[in-house]
């Protein structure tokens, strides 16, 4: 052995030696004891016959010598002597090991009474969990194979709707998928059920699954007052947040009473999270508690309380905001026609700040416009007709606004419409879908339009987006499509397919529509698949078209058809 002797050499030789000594140690417990004694005796005997230096080295010294080489640690003797000493030390160490105390057996997994998956659905789930392909929205994805990973959320949603339980053999893969993708966790954990929470206790990497339950067990029944109170007083923060949401969903009054009982002793960051749970089931009965929260020492808590109160048009705070906003916005009849006149606040006094108005604007924003926007956003929308000549929402939005305050005023009304869930004002602020963005009444911001659409009923929302796509194509519609209910059916599905065909025939760059195509794979109704078959062929390359664009479009449409067929099969397999 030279200076290149390494620990791997020692490990190999010591393992061989140990195996040779321990061959007969597995027959019976008695034989094992005799073998261990013989090994220890042999190790002691051999220790005296080898090299004095190597034989007297400790285990750590032998490892160091193996790592550095015997030429740099000559006190350990020749290479062969080092290996012999390491083998003897290995046997001695193994012989001296004591058996570990056996751990207690875990409690059995709780029962799951949901019906099992059909065999075809079980096989499909195994394929979806095993897929590691790139997401459908990755730019430039090629090929005709469906992206199975992007179909997993839909599969889980259908399985949860059907009330099915997962097979035990696939539970580890399901928990691994939920660990890697936070977007999957709510649906994956709902599908995993009590067995998934039980199993998560045994793997630290699955600890995320336990954050919403006490030690992996189910939360107490929201109607069990004693159990609820005990967990509320003694549970971890994550358990208490989940408990409060469950109680609030079961009985809003009981949830608020539970929170009020410990409010003054909670940390500021905890109060903020707890207060957010009042959004579910928010009603006028919550107003006294929220009014007290306006005096909280935390600015974020005060702002959240003010936001919740402003969502109650009949609250005292909403009335105060209405009076302040009315002093800033009025009807001006001095010109040729009626117009809206705006006089933004000149200060943000202590009462305004108590009601949640933030005094300091973000960078690049003027103070007065910042204060005006917050006041209008918090004022009840129902208060404006009386202030502005008895006009309806669409007529108010159509009025010109003096001194370039129109964008600021309309943006604040948009936020108010979303916060208050006011469909009438949402329609007025959306404007006509055929109008070019930025022109006509209403907002031209696609981000604001996407939020306003969320207030409308699902069918009306889909119809508005379909007409927008028919008028303007897909280039401006990506944000709007994301807010439509899946699957896209009827007019919306036809509008998307028609717009994709028009884009292809116009020689557009195909990769610029990869995001919409990815959405279509996940959201288009499978019933649209027959209309897409004619688009799967490679079109002739027109003069001036992007090189290779035809082949790209053909691949994209083939992948879309294959994905829709697979989604239809998934539904059949799950009995949907």
């Amino acid at each position: 052995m030279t200076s290149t002797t390494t620990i791997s050499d020692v490990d190999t030789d010591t393992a061989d030696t140990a195996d040779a000594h321990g061959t007969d140690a597995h027959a019976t417990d008695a034989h094992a004891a005799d073998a261990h004694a013989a090994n220890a005796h042999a190790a002691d005997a051999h220790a005296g016959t080898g090299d004095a230096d190597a034989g007297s080295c400790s285990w750590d010294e032998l490892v160091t010598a193996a790592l550095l080489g015997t030429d740099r640690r000559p006190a350990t003797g020749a290479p062969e002597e080092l290996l012999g000493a390491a083998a003897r030390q290995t046997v001695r160490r193994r012989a001296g090991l004591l058996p570990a105390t056996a751990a207690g057996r875990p409690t059995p997994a709780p029962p799951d009474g949901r019906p099992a998956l059909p065999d075809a659905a079980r096989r499909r789930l195994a394929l979806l969990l095993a897929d590691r392909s790139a997401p459908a929205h990755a730019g430039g994805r090629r090929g005709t194979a469906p992206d199975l990973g992007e179909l997993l959320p839909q599969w889980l949603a259908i399985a949860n709707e059907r009330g099915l339980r997962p097979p035990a053999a696939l539970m580890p893969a399901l928990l691994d998928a939920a660990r890697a993708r936070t977007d999957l966790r709510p649906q994956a954990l709902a599908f995993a059920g009590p067995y998934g929470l039980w199993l998560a206790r045994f793997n630290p990497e699955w600890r995320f699954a336990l954050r919403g339950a006490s030690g992996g067990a189910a939360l107490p029944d929201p109607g069990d007052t004693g159990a609820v109170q005990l967990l509320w007083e003694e549970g971890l923060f994550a358990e208490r947040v989940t408990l409060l949401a469950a109680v609030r969903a079961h009985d809003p009054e009981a949830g608020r009473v539970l929170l009020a009982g410990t409010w003054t002793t909670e940390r500021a960051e905890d109060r903020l999270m707890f207060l957010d749970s009042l959004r579910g089931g928010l009603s006028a009965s919550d107003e006294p508690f929220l009014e007290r929260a306006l005096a909280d020492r935390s600015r974020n808590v005060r702002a959240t309380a003010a936001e919740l109160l402003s969502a109650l048009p009949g609250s005292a705070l909403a009335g105060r905001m209405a009076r302040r906003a009315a002093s800033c916005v009025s009807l001006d009849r001095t010109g040729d026609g009626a117009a809206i006149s705006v006089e933004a606040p000149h200060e943000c006094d202590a009462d305004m700040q108590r009601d949640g108005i933030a005094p300091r604007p973000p960078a690049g924003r003027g103070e007065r416009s910042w204060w005006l926007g917050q006041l209008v956003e918090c004022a009840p929308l129902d208060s404006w007709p009386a202030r502005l000549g008895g006009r309806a929402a669409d007529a108010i939005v159509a009025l010109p606004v003096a001194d370039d305050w129109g964008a600021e005023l309309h943006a604040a009304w948009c936020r108010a419409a979303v916060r208050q869930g006011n469909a009438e004002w949402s329609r007025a602020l959306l404007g006509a879908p055929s109008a070019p963005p930025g022109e006509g009444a209403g907002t031209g911001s696609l981000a604001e339009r996407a939020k306003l659409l969320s207030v409308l009923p699902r069918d009306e929302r889909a119809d508005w987006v379909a007409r927008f796509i028919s008028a303007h194509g897909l280039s401006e519609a990506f944000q709007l499509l994301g807010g439509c209910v899946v699957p896209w059916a009827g007019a919306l599905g036809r509008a998307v397919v028609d717009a994709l065909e028009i884009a292809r025939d116009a020689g557009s760059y195909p990769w610029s529509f990869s995001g919409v195509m990815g959405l279509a794979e996940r959201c288009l109704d499978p019933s649209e698949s027959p209309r897409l078959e004619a688009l799967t062929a490679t079109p002739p390359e027109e003069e001036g078209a992007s090189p290779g664009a035809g082949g790209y479009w053909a691949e994209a449409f083939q992948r879309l058809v294959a994905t829709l067929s697979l989604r239809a099969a998934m539904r059949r397999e799950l009995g949907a």
Side-chain angles (χ1 to χ4, degrees), residues 240-506:
R240 300 176 72 214
V241 170
T242 306
L243 176 67
L244 181 59
V247 174
R248 182 73 177 174
H250 173 73
D251 183 352
E253 176 75 15
R256 188 185 67 256
V257 170
L258 190 68
L259 178 57
T262 60
W263 179 257
T264 57
T265 62
E266 306 289 356
R267 300 181 305 167
E269 55 269 32
D270 294 351
R271 292 198 303 276
L272 183 62
M273 291 290 292
F274 290 143
L275 193 62
D276 198 61
S277 68
L278 297 186
R279 295 182 189 277
L282 185 66
S283 68
S285 61
D286 297 317
E287 183 180 356
F289 176 79
L290 293 173
E291 275 285 344
R292 291 192 296 272
L294 289 176
D296 196 272
R297 56 187 180 273
S298 167
R299 180 177 61 83
N300 290 331
V301 172
R302 293 196 303 271
T304 302
E307 179 188 346
L308 293 173
L309 283 169
S310 67
L312 296 171
S315 67
L317 178 136
R320 295 193 295 269
M321 291 298 191
R323 289 189 292 273
R324 292 177 181 129
S327 68
C328 300
V329 180
S330 60
L331 192 63
D332 182 4
R333 295 187 175 91
T334 59
D336 295 335
I340 295 177
S341 175
V342 175
E343 180 66 27
H346 291 275
E347 64 173 344
C348 183
D349 58 32
D351 288 339
M352 290 170 61
Q353 294 182 44
R354 179 187 179 277
D355 284 346
I357 301 300
R360 295 184 179 180
R365 185 82 178 273
E367 284 185 334
R368 297 183 66 197
S369 65
W370 172 242
W371 299 332
L372 174 72
Q374 294 179 82
L375 290 178
V376 174
E377 176 183 355
C378 295
L381 291 166
D382 293 342
S383 66
W384 291 112
R387 178 64 176 167
L388 300 174
R391 292 172 171 82
D394 54 351
I396 291 174
V397 172
L399 286 172
V401 182
D403 301 325
D404 296 326
W405 283 103
E408 185 69 50
L409 185 60
H410 285 183
W413 277 336
C414 286
R415 296 192 298 271
V418 174
R419 180 180 295 185
Q420 298 172 31
N422 193 306
E424 179 188 2
W425 276 82
S426 294
R427 295 185 189 100
L429 291 161
L430 276 167
S434 57
E439 297 183 13
T443 177
S445 166
L446 289 174
E448 290 174 352
R449 284 181 160 186
K451 293 177 182 178
L452 291 168
L453 282 168
S454 67
V455 179
L456 302 182
R458 53 184 295 175
D459 292 340
E460 183 179 355
R461 191 186 322 166
D463 181 68
W464 195 97
V465 176
R467 288 187 287 144
F468 180 92
I469 292 173
S470 298
H472 309 294
L474 290 169
S475 58
E476 303 289 342
F478 186 80
Q479 281 183 287
L480 306 179
L481 284 168
C484 293
V485 177
V486 176
W488 301 336
L492 179 57
R494 291 190 295 273
V496 171
V497 173
D498 291 343
L500 287 172
E501 183 177 6
I502 291 171
R504 185 200 66 167
D505 294 343

Side-chain angles (χ1 to χ4, degrees), residues 16 65 77 87 119 152 164 175 186 198 223 259 345 399 481 488 498 512 571:
D16 292 342
D119 289 341
L152 183 56
L164 302 173
L175 292 173
W198 176 85
L259 178 57
L399 286 172
L481 284 168
W488 301 336
D498 291 343
S512 64
R571 296 191 67 87

Side-chain angles (χ1 to χ4, degrees), residues 25 52 77 94 119 147 155 159 167 206 271 295 381 441 480 500 519 555 562:
R94 289 183 178 180
D119 289 341
D147 182 358
W155 190 97
W206 299 334
R271 292 198 303 276
L381 291 166
L480 306 179
L500 287 172
L519 271 179
E555 279 187 3

Side-chain angles (χ1 to χ4, degrees), residues 79-131:
E80 295 79 3
E81 295 166 347
L82 173 67
L83 292 175
R88 293 191 293 274
Q89 287 277 19
T90 298
V91 173
R92 183 175 298 180
R93 286 163 61 88
R94 289 183 178 180
L97 290 176
L98 296 176
T101 303
R105 299 186 64 179
T107 57
D112 189 341
R114 295 175 296 176
L117 283 176
D119 289 341
R122 178 180 52 78
R123 291 191 293 270
R124 181 73 65 192
L125 176 60
L127 291 173
L128 295 176
L129 291 173
D131 183 73

